[in-house]
Amino acid sequence: MIYILSLTLFYLYRYFYFKYFKEPIEEPDQVAGPILDQTEVREIFGNLPPIYEVHCKIKDRLERLVNRLLINEEATSVGEIYMDNSEALLKTYPPFVNFYEKTKDAILNCDKIKPRFHAFLKIAQSKPECGRQTLVELLIRPVQRVPSTLRLLDDMVSETPKQHRDHDLLSKAIASLKEVMTHINEDKRKIENQLAMFVLINDIENCPATLLSSHRSFVKKVDVHEMSNELLKKGAPLTLFLFTDCLEICKPRTKLINASKSPVSKQRTPQKCYKHISLFSLNNITKVCDILQKGDDTDLFGILCRLAGEIA
């Protein structure tokens, strides 16, 4: 019973979030006009309502379960409740997590430039029900609750006899929540990887537009020196950007133009960190071999590849 009560208490803060933050901000008739415009409201509050709704359903069913247990009536399993809502959790969490940083930045920016919003936040977070937590701190709580719920369900299944029907249902519920966390982490990793690729491509002069692709992920950057005369010249510094299916070879810029000291800095485009040399598919690589030199422990390697045009 104590575990079920703990689960129901987990959801109370969501009510405070809506009552003291979201609903007042969206009031149609605000004195002196809206505190935030509609774009800002969507950036800050747009991704949480679906999570709020599914957790309200879970909370309502948990409360009914507690009430039935108190009068010794047969009740639904906790595991069954989470199993019934696993698909909704899997659908609603990734968008919220992926845009959390953007949401946080929107809150901090509006807090800085809009005095009325700043005053509104101070009043709202001073409510005892909010525990003096800021809106940014409250917004991360839905993500924190997934592992917390998992720990409670783990405790519940360990206290439930294996022959009891709830044991199997709780085990399945735990597996479904772990799947939610896996999707959250995977989607977050993909978003971060795509952002890293945007930054990287912006740093390469004449970078082929084909390098940016949804199916491609950045793996590693390696600074090397050319041991042949195939690309530039022997001993020339190169930077290799390894992706899941291709290799981008660049010439690093050893000296960047200091635009602030240049008399024509306003007219000149800032020089990028790398210059594109070649991009080819990993399918064209026939062999990667270590090069050993007597008495030298320097890491040397060679790449043997077929000549081919740049990837599409």
Side-chain angles (χ1 to χ4, degrees):
M1 177 69 77
I2 187 65
Y3 294 120
I4 301 173
L5 290 173
S6 296
L7 285 170
T8 58
L9 289 173
F10 272 177
Y11 299 106
L12 290 179
Y13 85 93
R14 303 179 208 284
Y15 167 74
F16 301 140
Y17 168 85
F18 271 72
K19 181 178 179 180
Y20 297 118
F21 290 96
K22 186 176 185 296
E23 291 177 357
I25 282 289
E26 294 181 335
E27 280 289 335
D29 300 318
Q30 300 178 31
V31 178
I35 296 176
L36 298 176
D37 62 40
Q38 288 302 309
T39 300
E40 292 162 339
V41 170
R42 283 194 298 270
E43 286 181 343
I44 295 174
F45 300 102
N47 289 311
L48 196 63
I51 293 180
Y52 177 78
E53 290 171 8
V54 67
H55 281 295
C56 280
K57 293 178 182 177
I58 293 174
K59 174 180 173 291
D60 290 343
R61 289 189 63 180
L62 287 171
E63 287 179 340
R64 290 198 296 270
L65 171 59
V66 171
N67 291 334
R68 293 180 71 88
L69 290 174
L70 288 174
I71 58 176
N72 294 319
E73 287 189 3
E74 185 177 348
T76 305
S77 164
V78 172
E80 187 175 345
I81 293 173
Y82 279 95
M83 284 296 297
D84 290 345
N85 290 277
S86 60
E87 186 175 342
L89 290 170
L90 194 60
K91 181 180 179 180
T92 56
Y93 260 95
F96 175 79
V97 175
N98 291 341
F99 291 95
Y100 172 74
E101 290 298 325
K102 184 177 179 181
T103 300
K104 182 177 74 173
D105 291 342
I107 294 171
L108 296 176
N109 183 59
C110 291
D111 185 25
K112 184 178 180 181
I113 66 175
K114 297 202 168 188
R116 289 180 62 207
F117 184 63
H118 175 78
F120 168 80
L121 290 179
K122 290 296 184 183
I123 294 172
Q125 72 188 44
S126 67
K127 304 289 184 182
E129 295 87 349
C130 296
R132 297 191 175 276
Q133 295 180 90
T134 66
L135 181 55
V136 170
E137 291 169 335
L138 285 171
L139 277 172
I140 197 60
R141 296 288 290 280
V143 182
Q144 295 172 338
R145 285 315 182 200
V146 177
S148 297
T149 302
L150 269 172
R151 286 194 293 271
L152 276 172
L153 293 181
D154 277 330
D155 290 340
M156 289 182 69
V157 78
S158 66
E159 297 292 332
T160 303
K162 289 186 177 181
Q163 62 271 21
H164 197 285
R165 64 180 291 270
D166 289 353
H167 189 280
D168 184 51
L169 289 170
L170 284 168
S171 299
K172 290 180 179 179
I174 290 169
S176 69
L177 282 181
K178 286 182 178 178
E179 185 180 359
V180 171
M181 290 190 64
T182 299
H183 277 261
I184 289 172
N185 293 333
E186 180 63 19
D187 281 10
K188 191 171 186 294
R189 185 193 65 78
K190 288 179 180 178
I191 292 293
E192 290 173 347
N193 189 276
Q194 287 296 312
L195 291 175
M197 287 188 66
F198 274 114
V199 173
L200 174 59
I201 288 172
N202 190 55
D203 283 342
I204 301 175
E205 181 181 337
N206 298 327
C207 181
T210 53
L211 183 59
L212 185 61
S213 174
S214 60
H215 71 269
R216 182 170 297 126
S217 298
F218 173 65
V219 178
K220 190 174 184 179
K221 168 191 168 187
V222 182
D223 292 317
V224 300
H225 286 84
E226 186 176 1
M227 301 303 294
S228 67
N229 295 307
E230 293 292 331
L231 297 171
L232 296 175
K233 62 181 180 179
K234 188 174 182 178
L238 296 171
T239 298
L240 310 182
F241 293 101
L242 178 63
F243 296 87
T244 48
D245 65 339
C246 64
L247 184 68
E248 164 69 9
I249 303 177
C250 298
K251 174 185 177 181
R253 301 288 195 185
T254 54
K255 293 182 180 180
L256 298 179
I257 297 172
N258 189 336
S260 62
K261 295 182 180 180
S262 172
V264 291
S265 59
K266 292 184 179 180
Q267 291 78 29
R268 179 176 292 174
T269 301
Q271 194 175 42
K272 296 189 176 183
C273 300
Y274 305 95
K275 182 178 180 180
H276 167 74
I277 300 298
S278 181
L279 172 65
F280 59 89
S281 170
L282 296 185
N283 291 330
N284 290 327
I285 295 178
T286 58
K287 189 176 183 180
V288 178
C289 54
D290 291 328
I291 301 175
L292 302 178
Q293 291 185 338
K294 188 175 180 180
D296 187 359
D297 59 356
T298 303
D299 292 331
L300 299 177
F301 66 93
I303 299 177
L304 302 179
C305 62
R306 296 186 293 268
L307 292 178
E310 295 192 343
I311 67 170

